[in-house]
Amino acid sequence: MTPKSGAFLGIACLTAIAAVGSMFELSSGDPDWGTAPTAVILALSIPAGILAFRAAVKDARANM
């Protein structure tokens, strides 16, 4: 594992945490930051997490 793939994995973890937190906030009915900003965070964090995870795997496989 390279530092680059580790960074991508870190980004993937943070975006996954943001997505789960946003889902819980939206399901509570009264998000702390409001519905629109929380929904935007959720909508952006899911694809960003997937892309970061795929980039980490691709980088790790390339450097094996």
Side-chain angles (χ1 to χ4, degrees):
M1 185 160 122
T2 65
K4 183 178 173 183
S5 60
F8 281 132
L9 277 178
I11 292 168
C13 289
L14 289 176
T15 56
I17 292 168
V20 171
S22 296
M23 283 188 259
F24 277 115
E25 285 286 319
L26 288 171
S27 67
S28 74
D30 188 27
D32 290 340
W33 292 356
T35 303
T38 306
V40 168
I41 291 169
L42 177 62
L44 294 176
S45 63
I46 292 172
I50 292 170
L51 290 174
F53 182 76
R54 290 186 66 183
V57 171
K58 183 178 178 182
D59 183 64
R61 284 185 179 169
N63 293 305
M64 286 180 85

